[in-house]
Structure formats: structure tokens, C-alpha cells
Amino acid sequence: MVNNIEQKEHIRSMATFVYLTLAFLFSFVFTSISILILLFPMVGILDVTYFPSKVGISSFVISMFFSVLAFRNIFTKILIVFNLSLMIFIIVYGP
């Protein structure tokens, strides 16, 4: 009985780890695309007809989705604040 409870807890922690890893991966992609958009000011993040904007917005949404799935972790909460702050910064100060 105790072994079954430990296994369920371990599976939950592994799922949280996977969600957190995927959220950080897509957050890295979003950060890279945001830097690319800032370096080449002819494309904004909200210009969805361009490829970097499509990738940036989709990676932002996917990162937020995985962050919400692993919301119990403190790193995830920091990642949500970082992603939202970066998105607001890119919308306001981008081209």
C-alpha cells in the first residue's frame, strides 16, 4: 500500500518535471524569437503574417500552457511572470 502511494507521488513529480522542462524549452524559443524581433525592427510580434511572429506567439502560448500544468512549482510561477513581462515588453517597445 505504501509503495503504491510512493509510486503515485513519484509519477506526479516526474510529470511536473516534464511540464516544467517543456515550459522552459518553449520559453527559450520565445526569448530567442523576441531578441530576433528586436534586432530586426521591421517585424513586430503582433504581425502574424510573418514567420518569426507566428513562432514567437505559438511558443509563448505553449510555454504558458505547460507552465499552468506545473503551477505548483515556484520555478513555474517565475517563468509565467517572465514570459508575461517579456510579451508586454515586446508589444510595447517592439516595432
Side-chain angles (χ1 to χ4, degrees):
M1 183 75 171
V2 175
N3 193 14
N4 192 15
I5 294 171
E6 289 176 2
Q7 286 178 352
K8 286 182 182 180
E9 183 63 34
H10 183 66
I11 288 173
R12 268 191 238 118
S13 67
M14 289 298 293
T16 303
F17 175 74
V18 168
Y19 295 149
L20 185 63
T21 304
L22 288 173
F24 272 116
L25 175 73
F26 285 107
S27 178
F28 176 72
V29 170
F30 175 60
T31 305
S32 301
I33 292 296
S34 298
I35 290 171
L36 179 75
I37 286 174
L38 286 176
L39 289 177
F40 300 106
M42 60 188 153
V43 176
I45 191 72
L46 296 178
D47 297 333
V48 293
T49 57
Y50 298 109
F51 182 72
S53 299
K54 289 179 186 177
V55 172
I57 290 173
S58 62
S59 63
F60 170 75
V61 170
I62 293 171
S63 175
M64 292 301 288
F65 175 73
F66 284 121
S67 295
V68 168
L69 286 177
F71 192 68
R72 287 177 266 151
N73 197 334
I74 187 69
F75 294 118
T76 310
K77 294 173 185 172
I78 293 170
L79 186 64
I80 288 174
V81 170
F82 173 74
N83 280 340
L84 288 175
S85 302
L86 184 61
M87 180 59 99
I88 291 171
F89 177 79
I90 291 298
I91 288 173
V92 172
Y93 292 111

